[in-house]
Short mmCIF file of all heavy atoms in Angstrom, two decimals:
data_model
loop_
_atom_site.label_atom_id
_atom_site.label_comp_id
_atom_site.label_asym_id
_atom_site.label_seq_id
_atom_site.Cartn_x
_atom_site.Cartn_y
_atom_site.Cartn_z
N ARG A 32 179.07 40.32 21.91
CA ARG A 32 178.66 40.69 20.54
C ARG A 32 179.42 39.85 19.50
O ARG A 32 178.87 38.94 18.91
CB ARG A 32 178.88 42.20 20.33
CG ARG A 32 178.21 42.78 19.09
CD ARG A 32 178.88 42.48 17.78
NE ARG A 32 180.27 42.94 17.72
CZ ARG A 32 181.09 42.63 16.73
NH1 ARG A 32 180.68 41.89 15.71
NH2 ARG A 32 182.34 43.04 16.74
N ASP A 33 180.69 40.13 19.32
CA ASP A 33 181.46 39.40 18.29
C ASP A 33 181.48 37.91 18.63
O ASP A 33 181.38 37.05 17.75
CB ASP A 33 182.90 39.95 18.23
CG ASP A 33 183.55 39.77 16.87
OD1 ASP A 33 182.99 39.04 16.04
OD2 ASP A 33 184.63 40.34 16.65
N GLN A 36 177.62 36.44 18.15
CA GLN A 36 176.81 36.74 16.95
C GLN A 36 176.71 35.58 15.96
O GLN A 36 175.76 35.46 15.21
CB GLN A 36 177.34 37.98 16.24
CG GLN A 36 178.68 37.79 15.54
CD GLN A 36 179.21 39.06 14.87
OE1 GLN A 36 178.64 40.12 15.02
NE2 GLN A 36 180.31 38.95 14.16
N GLU A 63 181.34 45.44 24.67
CA GLU A 63 180.55 45.55 23.44
C GLU A 63 179.41 44.55 23.61
O GLU A 63 179.63 43.34 23.57
CB GLU A 63 181.44 45.21 22.25
CG GLU A 63 180.92 45.74 20.93
CD GLU A 63 181.93 45.51 19.82
OE1 GLU A 63 182.80 46.37 19.61
OE2 GLU A 63 181.87 44.43 19.19
N SER A 66 174.45 44.19 18.83
CA SER A 66 174.44 45.04 17.65
C SER A 66 173.01 45.27 17.17
O SER A 66 172.14 44.40 17.32
CB SER A 66 175.29 44.42 16.53
OG SER A 66 174.97 43.08 16.35
N PHE A 67 172.81 46.44 16.61
CA PHE A 67 171.50 46.82 16.08
C PHE A 67 171.55 46.69 14.56
O PHE A 67 171.56 47.66 13.82
CB PHE A 67 171.12 48.22 16.55
CG PHE A 67 170.75 48.22 18.01
CD1 PHE A 67 171.73 48.23 18.99
CD2 PHE A 67 169.42 48.15 18.41
CE1 PHE A 67 171.39 48.19 20.34
CE2 PHE A 67 169.07 48.11 19.74
CZ PHE A 67 170.06 48.13 20.71
N VAL A 68 171.61 45.43 14.14
CA VAL A 68 171.67 45.09 12.72
C VAL A 68 170.39 44.34 12.37
O VAL A 68 169.53 44.13 13.23
CB VAL A 68 172.93 44.24 12.41
CG1 VAL A 68 174.19 45.04 12.73
CG2 VAL A 68 172.94 42.93 13.17
N SER A 69 170.27 43.95 11.11
CA SER A 69 169.04 43.28 10.70
C SER A 69 168.96 41.88 11.35
O SER A 69 169.89 41.09 11.22
CB SER A 69 169.02 43.15 9.18
OG SER A 69 168.10 42.15 8.83
N PRO A 70 167.83 41.59 12.01
CA PRO A 70 167.69 40.25 12.63
C PRO A 70 167.62 39.14 11.59
O PRO A 70 167.85 37.98 11.90
CB PRO A 70 166.38 40.36 13.43
CG PRO A 70 165.65 41.53 12.85
CD PRO A 70 166.68 42.46 12.27
N LYS A 71 167.33 39.54 10.32
CA LYS A 71 167.33 38.52 9.26
C LYS A 71 168.77 38.14 8.93
O LYS A 71 169.06 37.01 8.57
CB LYS A 71 166.64 39.06 8.01
CG LYS A 71 165.13 39.10 8.17
CD LYS A 71 164.45 39.54 6.88
CE LYS A 71 163.00 39.89 7.17
NZ LYS A 71 162.50 40.98 6.34
N TRP A 72 169.66 39.10 9.01
CA TRP A 72 171.07 38.84 8.70
C TRP A 72 171.77 38.17 9.88
O TRP A 72 172.57 37.26 9.68
CB TRP A 72 171.78 40.14 8.34
CG TRP A 72 171.44 40.70 6.99
CD1 TRP A 72 170.21 41.12 6.56
CD2 TRP A 72 172.34 40.92 5.90
NE1 TRP A 72 170.30 41.58 5.27
CE2 TRP A 72 171.60 41.48 4.83
CE3 TRP A 72 173.71 40.71 5.71
CZ2 TRP A 72 172.17 41.83 3.61
CZ3 TRP A 72 174.28 41.07 4.50
CH2 TRP A 72 173.51 41.60 3.45
N VAL A 73 171.51 38.68 11.07
CA VAL A 73 172.19 38.15 12.27
C VAL A 73 171.14 37.90 13.38
O VAL A 73 170.93 38.73 14.26
CB VAL A 73 173.29 39.13 12.77
CG1 VAL A 73 174.08 38.52 13.93
CG2 VAL A 73 174.25 39.51 11.64
N LEU A 97 176.86 47.98 18.14
CA LEU A 97 177.12 48.24 16.72
C LEU A 97 175.87 48.83 16.06
O LEU A 97 174.76 48.35 16.29
CB LEU A 97 177.49 46.93 16.00
CG LEU A 97 178.99 46.59 15.93
CD1 LEU A 97 179.61 46.54 17.31
CD2 LEU A 97 179.23 45.30 15.17
N THR A 98 176.09 49.84 15.22
CA THR A 98 174.98 50.47 14.49
C THR A 98 175.42 50.72 13.04
O THR A 98 176.21 51.62 12.79
CB THR A 98 174.59 51.83 15.15
OG1 THR A 98 175.76 52.65 15.19
CG2 THR A 98 174.05 51.66 16.55
N PRO A 99 174.92 49.95 12.09
CA PRO A 99 175.39 50.09 10.71
C PRO A 99 174.73 51.20 9.92
O PRO A 99 175.21 51.53 8.83
CB PRO A 99 175.04 48.73 10.10
CG PRO A 99 173.81 48.31 10.83
CD PRO A 99 173.96 48.84 12.23
N ASN A 100 173.62 51.72 10.44
CA ASN A 100 172.88 52.74 9.68
C ASN A 100 171.98 53.52 10.63
O ASN A 100 171.91 53.21 11.83
CB ASN A 100 172.07 52.08 8.55
CG ASN A 100 171.19 50.95 9.07
OD1 ASN A 100 170.91 50.88 10.26
ND2 ASN A 100 170.75 50.07 8.19
N LEU A 101 171.26 54.50 10.08
CA LEU A 101 170.42 55.34 10.94
C LEU A 101 169.30 54.55 11.61
O LEU A 101 168.93 54.81 12.75
CB LEU A 101 169.81 56.49 10.11
CG LEU A 101 170.64 57.78 10.05
CD1 LEU A 101 169.96 58.80 9.14
CD2 LEU A 101 170.88 58.39 11.44
N GLN A 102 168.81 53.53 10.87
CA GLN A 102 167.75 52.70 11.46
C GLN A 102 168.26 52.01 12.73
O GLN A 102 167.58 51.97 13.76
CB GLN A 102 167.30 51.66 10.42
CG GLN A 102 166.10 50.86 10.88
CD GLN A 102 165.61 49.89 9.81
OE1 GLN A 102 165.88 50.06 8.62
NE2 GLN A 102 164.87 48.88 10.22
N GLY A 103 169.46 51.45 12.62
CA GLY A 103 170.06 50.80 13.79
C GLY A 103 170.37 51.79 14.89
O GLY A 103 170.17 51.51 16.07
N PHE A 104 170.82 52.96 14.50
CA PHE A 104 171.14 53.98 15.51
C PHE A 104 169.89 54.41 16.25
O PHE A 104 169.89 54.54 17.48
CB PHE A 104 171.84 55.18 14.86
CG PHE A 104 172.11 56.28 15.86
CD1 PHE A 104 173.10 56.12 16.81
CD2 PHE A 104 171.35 57.44 15.87
CE1 PHE A 104 173.34 57.12 17.77
CE2 PHE A 104 171.58 58.43 16.81
CZ PHE A 104 172.58 58.27 17.76
N ALA A 106 167.19 52.76 16.76
CA ALA A 106 166.78 51.69 17.68
C ALA A 106 167.70 51.64 18.89
O ALA A 106 167.25 51.45 20.02
CB ALA A 106 166.79 50.35 16.94
N VAL A 116 179.31 51.84 17.51
CA VAL A 116 180.38 51.41 16.61
C VAL A 116 179.82 51.34 15.19
O VAL A 116 178.82 50.66 14.93
CB VAL A 116 180.89 49.99 17.00
CG1 VAL A 116 182.09 49.61 16.13
CG2 VAL A 116 181.25 49.93 18.48
N PHE A 118 180.88 50.20 11.37
CA PHE A 118 181.87 49.22 10.90
C PHE A 118 181.94 49.16 9.39
O PHE A 118 180.96 48.95 8.71
CB PHE A 118 181.65 47.84 11.53
CG PHE A 118 180.24 47.31 11.47
CD1 PHE A 118 179.89 46.30 10.58
CD2 PHE A 118 179.25 47.82 12.31
CE1 PHE A 118 178.60 45.79 10.54
CE2 PHE A 118 177.94 47.32 12.27
CZ PHE A 118 177.62 46.31 11.38
N ALA A 119 183.16 49.38 8.92
CA ALA A 119 183.42 49.38 7.48
C ALA A 119 184.54 48.39 7.19
O ALA A 119 185.14 47.83 8.11
CB ALA A 119 183.85 50.78 7.04
N PHE A 125 184.31 42.36 0.95
CA PHE A 125 183.80 42.08 2.30
C PHE A 125 182.73 43.10 2.68
O PHE A 125 181.73 42.75 3.32
CB PHE A 125 184.93 42.07 3.34
CG PHE A 125 184.48 41.57 4.68
CD1 PHE A 125 184.32 40.21 4.91
CD2 PHE A 125 184.18 42.45 5.71
CE1 PHE A 125 183.88 39.74 6.14
CE2 PHE A 125 183.73 41.99 6.94
CZ PHE A 125 183.59 40.63 7.16
N LYS A 128 179.54 41.85 1.21
CA LYS A 128 179.00 40.66 1.87
C LYS A 128 178.49 40.99 3.27
O LYS A 128 177.48 40.46 3.70
CB LYS A 128 180.10 39.58 2.02
CG LYS A 128 180.61 39.06 0.72
CD LYS A 128 179.76 37.92 0.20
CE LYS A 128 180.39 37.40 -1.09
NZ LYS A 128 179.54 36.53 -1.86
N ASN A 129 179.21 41.85 3.97
CA ASN A 129 178.89 42.08 5.38
C ASN A 129 177.75 43.07 5.56
O ASN A 129 176.86 42.84 6.36
CB ASN A 129 180.16 42.58 6.09
CG ASN A 129 180.02 42.54 7.61
OD1 ASN A 129 179.38 41.65 8.16
ND2 ASN A 129 180.62 43.50 8.28
N ILE A 130 177.80 44.16 4.81
CA ILE A 130 176.77 45.19 5.03
C ILE A 130 176.05 45.61 3.75
O ILE A 130 175.31 46.59 3.72
CB ILE A 130 177.34 46.43 5.78
CG1 ILE A 130 178.64 46.95 5.15
CG2 ILE A 130 177.60 46.09 7.25
CD1 ILE A 130 179.18 48.22 5.81
N ASN A 131 176.31 44.81 2.70
CA ASN A 131 175.49 44.94 1.50
C ASN A 131 175.64 46.29 0.79
O ASN A 131 174.69 46.81 0.20
CB ASN A 131 174.01 44.70 1.89
CG ASN A 131 173.18 44.22 0.73
OD1 ASN A 131 173.71 43.65 -0.23
ND2 ASN A 131 171.87 44.44 0.80
N CYS A 132 176.82 46.87 0.86
CA CYS A 132 177.05 48.13 0.14
C CYS A 132 178.56 48.31 -0.05
O CYS A 132 179.36 47.59 0.56
CB CYS A 132 176.46 49.32 0.90
SG CYS A 132 177.19 49.58 2.51
N ARG A 140 176.51 56.26 4.60
CA ARG A 140 175.50 55.86 5.58
C ARG A 140 175.91 56.21 7.00
O ARG A 140 175.07 56.53 7.83
CB ARG A 140 175.30 54.34 5.54
CG ARG A 140 174.43 53.90 4.44
CD ARG A 140 174.22 52.40 4.54
NE ARG A 140 173.81 51.90 3.24
CZ ARG A 140 173.59 50.64 2.97
NH1 ARG A 140 173.75 49.73 3.92
NH2 ARG A 140 173.21 50.26 1.78
N ALA A 158 185.03 50.45 13.40
CA ALA A 158 185.76 49.19 13.25
C ALA A 158 186.13 49.07 11.78
O ALA A 158 185.30 49.31 10.91
CB ALA A 158 184.89 48.02 13.68
N MET A 159 187.39 48.75 11.52
CA MET A 159 187.84 48.57 10.14
C MET A 159 188.17 47.09 9.93
O MET A 159 189.15 46.58 10.48
CB MET A 159 189.07 49.42 9.85
CG MET A 159 188.84 50.91 10.10
SD MET A 159 190.13 51.94 9.38
CE MET A 159 191.58 51.37 10.26
N SER A 160 187.34 46.42 9.15
CA SER A 160 187.52 44.99 8.91
C SER A 160 188.55 44.74 7.81
O SER A 160 188.81 45.62 6.98
CB SER A 160 186.20 44.35 8.47
OG SER A 160 185.28 44.36 9.52
N CYS A 161 189.06 43.54 7.79
CA CYS A 161 189.93 43.06 6.70
C CYS A 161 191.11 44.00 6.45
O CYS A 161 191.38 44.36 5.30
CB CYS A 161 189.12 42.86 5.42
SG CYS A 161 187.83 41.61 5.58
N ALA A 194 191.11 45.79 12.47
CA ALA A 194 190.69 44.40 12.66
C ALA A 194 191.33 43.47 11.65
O ALA A 194 191.36 43.76 10.45
CB ALA A 194 189.17 44.30 12.57
N ASP A 195 191.81 42.36 12.17
CA ASP A 195 192.18 41.23 11.32
C ASP A 195 191.02 40.24 11.44
O ASP A 195 191.03 39.34 12.26
CB ASP A 195 193.50 40.62 11.78
CG ASP A 195 193.93 39.45 10.90
OD1 ASP A 195 193.29 39.23 9.84
OD2 ASP A 195 194.88 38.73 11.27
N THR A 196 190.03 40.46 10.60
CA THR A 196 188.75 39.77 10.67
C THR A 196 188.88 38.26 10.55
O THR A 196 188.12 37.51 11.16
CB THR A 196 187.86 40.30 9.53
OG1 THR A 196 187.93 41.72 9.55
CG2 THR A 196 186.44 39.83 9.63
N ILE A 197 189.81 37.82 9.71
CA ILE A 197 189.92 36.38 9.47
C ILE A 197 191.19 35.79 10.10
O ILE A 197 191.50 34.62 9.89
CB ILE A 197 189.83 36.04 7.96
CG1 ILE A 197 190.86 36.85 7.15
CG2 ILE A 197 188.42 36.30 7.46
CD1 ILE A 197 190.94 36.40 5.68
N HIS A 224 192.20 44.56 16.95
CA HIS A 224 191.06 43.62 17.03
C HIS A 224 191.47 42.39 16.23
O HIS A 224 191.34 42.37 15.00
CB HIS A 224 189.82 44.31 16.45
CG HIS A 224 188.59 43.47 16.37
ND1 HIS A 224 187.45 43.72 17.13
CD2 HIS A 224 188.26 42.39 15.62
CE1 HIS A 224 186.51 42.84 16.84
NE2 HIS A 224 186.97 42.01 15.90
N HIS A 226 191.40 38.45 15.34
CA HIS A 226 190.86 37.08 15.39
C HIS A 226 192.05 36.13 15.34
O HIS A 226 193.14 36.48 14.85
CB HIS A 226 189.87 36.87 14.23
CG HIS A 226 188.57 37.61 14.48
ND1 HIS A 226 187.45 36.98 14.94
CD2 HIS A 226 188.24 38.91 14.37
CE1 HIS A 226 186.47 37.86 15.09
NE2 HIS A 226 186.94 39.06 14.75
N GLY A 256 183.46 34.70 15.79
CA GLY A 256 183.66 34.56 14.35
C GLY A 256 182.65 35.46 13.69
O GLY A 256 181.74 35.95 14.35
N CYS A 257 182.86 35.71 12.42
CA CYS A 257 181.93 36.61 11.73
C CYS A 257 181.13 35.78 10.73
O CYS A 257 181.70 34.98 9.99
CB CYS A 257 182.72 37.71 11.02
SG CYS A 257 181.67 38.77 10.01
N PRO A 258 179.81 35.98 10.68
CA PRO A 258 178.99 35.21 9.75
C PRO A 258 179.44 35.37 8.30
O PRO A 258 179.16 34.51 7.46
CB PRO A 258 177.60 35.78 9.94
CG PRO A 258 177.63 36.64 11.15
CD PRO A 258 179.04 36.94 11.48
N TYR A 259 180.12 36.49 7.98
CA TYR A 259 180.51 36.73 6.59
C TYR A 259 182.00 36.49 6.35
O TYR A 259 182.56 36.96 5.37
CB TYR A 259 180.06 38.14 6.17
CG TYR A 259 178.58 38.27 6.45
CD1 TYR A 259 178.12 38.92 7.58
CD2 TYR A 259 177.66 37.59 5.65
CE1 TYR A 259 176.77 38.93 7.89
CE2 TYR A 259 176.31 37.60 5.95
CZ TYR A 259 175.87 38.27 7.07
OH TYR A 259 174.54 38.26 7.38
N ASN A 266 187.81 35.97 18.31
CA ASN A 266 188.86 36.93 18.67
C ASN A 266 189.85 36.23 19.60
O ASN A 266 189.53 35.21 20.21
CB ASN A 266 188.26 38.10 19.45
CG ASN A 266 187.29 38.90 18.63
OD1 ASN A 266 186.14 38.51 18.49
ND2 ASN A 266 187.76 39.99 18.08
P1 HMG B 20 170.13 45.82 3.75
O1 HMG B 20 169.29 44.61 3.50
O2 HMG B 20 171.07 46.26 2.69
O3 HMG B 20 169.27 47.06 4.26
O4 HMG B 20 170.95 45.54 5.09
P2 HMG B 20 168.04 47.80 3.69
O5 HMG B 20 168.21 49.21 4.17
O6 HMG B 20 167.85 47.52 2.23
O7 HMG B 20 166.83 47.15 4.51
C1 HMG B 20 166.38 45.83 4.26
C2 HMG B 20 165.65 45.30 5.47
O8 HMG B 20 166.52 45.29 6.62
C3 HMG B 20 164.43 46.12 5.88
O9 HMG B 20 163.51 45.21 6.49
C4 HMG B 20 164.96 47.01 6.96
O10 HMG B 20 163.96 47.41 7.86
C5 HMG B 20 165.94 46.09 7.66
P3 HMG B 20 162.29 44.59 5.65
O11 HMG B 20 161.55 45.79 5.14
O12 HMG B 20 162.89 43.77 4.56
O13 HMG B 20 161.56 43.78 6.68
N1 HMG B 20 167.02 46.80 8.34
C6 HMG B 20 167.28 46.72 9.67
N2 HMG B 20 166.71 46.00 10.64
C7 HMG B 20 167.21 46.14 11.88
N3 HMG B 20 168.27 46.94 12.18
C8 HMG B 20 168.86 47.66 11.23
C9 HMG B 20 168.38 47.56 9.90
N4 HMG B 20 168.74 48.13 8.73
C10 HMG B 20 167.91 47.67 7.78
N5 HMG B 20 169.90 48.43 11.53
C11 HMG B 20 172.37 45.90 6.95
C12 HMG B 20 171.93 46.40 5.58
C13 HMG B 20 173.66 46.59 7.34
C14 HMG B 20 171.29 46.23 7.96
C15 HMG B 20 172.56 44.38 6.85
O14 HMG B 20 173.46 44.11 5.84
C16 HMG B 20 173.04 43.75 8.12
O15 HMG B 20 172.36 43.75 9.15
N6 HMG B 20 174.22 43.12 8.08
C17 HMG B 20 174.80 42.42 9.22
C18 HMG B 20 176.13 42.99 9.48
C19 HMG B 20 176.73 42.38 10.73
O16 HMG B 20 176.15 42.41 11.81
N7 HMG B 20 177.95 41.80 10.59
C20 HMG B 20 178.67 41.29 11.70
C21 HMG B 20 179.22 42.40 12.56
S1 HMG B 20 180.67 43.16 11.85
C22 HMG B 20 181.96 42.21 12.44
O17 HMG B 20 181.75 41.20 13.07
C23 HMG B 20 183.36 42.71 12.20
C24 HMG B 20 184.01 43.31 13.44
O18 HMG B 20 184.05 42.39 14.52
C25 HMG B 20 185.45 43.74 13.10
C26 HMG B 20 186.20 42.59 12.40
O19 HMG B 20 186.48 41.57 13.03
O20 HMG B 20 186.43 42.79 11.20
C27 HMG B 20 183.27 44.57 13.92
#
Side-chain angles (χ1 to χ4, degrees):
R32 194 284 302 171
D33 207 349
Q36 70 182 6
E63 200 173 271
S66 49
F67 287 81
V68 298
S69 161
K71 285 185 194 146
W72 287 61
V73 186
L97 268 57
T98 56
N100 53 19
L101 270 177
Q102 187 177 339
F104 176 72
V116 185
F118 49 106
F125 190 79
K128 296 274 183 193
N129 193 34
I130 50 176
N131 205 24
C132 62
R140 279 184 201 178
M159 303 195 298
S160 292
C161 297
D195 181 9
T196 312
I197 54 172
H224 176 113
H226 287 260
C257 174
Y259 306 101
N266 296 81

